[in-house]
Amino acid sequence: MIFWSLLGVVFVITLFFHEQSISEKREVEPKAAEDIEDVEEIEGTRFSGYYYHGYLDRREKGDIEFDREYFYYMNRYFKDYLGPGRLVSKGNNDEETEDYLAYFESIGGLELYSFPRGGVDLNNGDYITFIVKSLILESDPAQIQKVEDIEVLYEF
């Protein structure tokens, strides 16, 4: 009998605290409409960067000296740098591999986004700007599914 009485008291106390936690959750104020992120705002972000082999390297436009060196390394080593496992060393020799890896590291690496395929006539090295019209899939590199208002600011 004492066991059932204690079990009943424990049940009532547990029920009391459970009800309090539920009522506290209900008292949380809902977010104001302006605090909720709109999908259009997320999707309407403007991106700019250099286009290479179906990827965008998102960065500010460099000066002529930067562009010359950047184009040299991107044209010659981008596919090796990207590689199937990312940062794969496939240079002709170890010294060459160290050179291009050091270069990419010196510019802060590449902020790569996989560009949507089809309907886009871009050349490697073009500096472009566009509006993202889809969610960006977080992978390595990140994947953009849909873009709008593509403009080539500087042709290679």
Side-chain angles (χ1 to χ4, degrees):
M1 185 73 166
I2 295 175
F3 170 75
W4 291 110
S5 297
L6 288 175
L7 186 62
V9 169
V10 169
F11 177 76
V12 170
I13 291 172
T14 304
L15 186 62
F16 174 76
F17 284 113
H18 180 69
E19 284 297 318
Q20 266 195 322
S21 69
I22 289 174
S23 66
E24 287 174 5
K25 289 178 185 175
R26 287 184 197 143
E27 291 175 8
V28 174
E29 292 183 30
K31 289 184 175 181
E34 59 271 6
D35 293 339
I36 298 173
E37 291 183 286
D38 189 344
V39 172
E40 284 301 311
E41 290 176 7
I42 293 169
E43 293 179 356
T45 304
R46 180 163 293 280
F47 277 48
S48 298
Y50 294 96
Y51 176 85
Y52 270 93
H53 302 289
Y55 295 93
L56 176 83
D57 178 20
R58 189 175 183 193
R59 68 176 60 245
E60 290 187 28
K61 174 83 171 81
D63 61 15
I64 293 172
E65 288 296 317
F66 173 84
D67 282 353
R68 282 187 189 143
E69 189 174 27
Y70 180 80
F71 295 155
Y72 170 80
Y73 281 98
M74 290 296 280
N75 286 327
R76 189 163 176 147
Y77 300 110
F78 175 69
K79 287 184 178 180
D80 291 341
Y81 176 81
L82 185 61
R86 197 74 194 263
L87 285 175
V88 173
S89 307
K90 293 183 183 176
N92 293 332
N93 59 49
D94 289 338
E95 189 175 307
E96 183 180 17
T97 300
E98 287 177 21
D99 180 49
Y100 80 74
L101 290 176
Y103 171 75
F104 287 127
E105 186 178 312
S106 75
I107 64 169
L110 303 176
E111 187 179 342
L112 295 177
Y113 294 84
S114 176
F115 207 79
R117 304 210 186 276
V120 180
D121 187 26
L122 298 170
N123 297 311
N124 287 337
D126 285 348
Y127 190 82
I128 62 173
T129 185
F130 57 88
I131 297 174
V132 175
K133 293 306 266 183
S134 65
L135 296 176
I136 297 173
L137 303 177
E138 293 184 23
S139 59
D140 191 17
Q143 297 176 27
I144 300 172
Q145 302 299 312
K146 185 178 176 188
V147 298
E148 228 176 60
D149 299 328
I150 301 171
E151 184 181 351
V152 177
L153 300 177
Y154 300 95
E155 290 184 354
F156 178 62

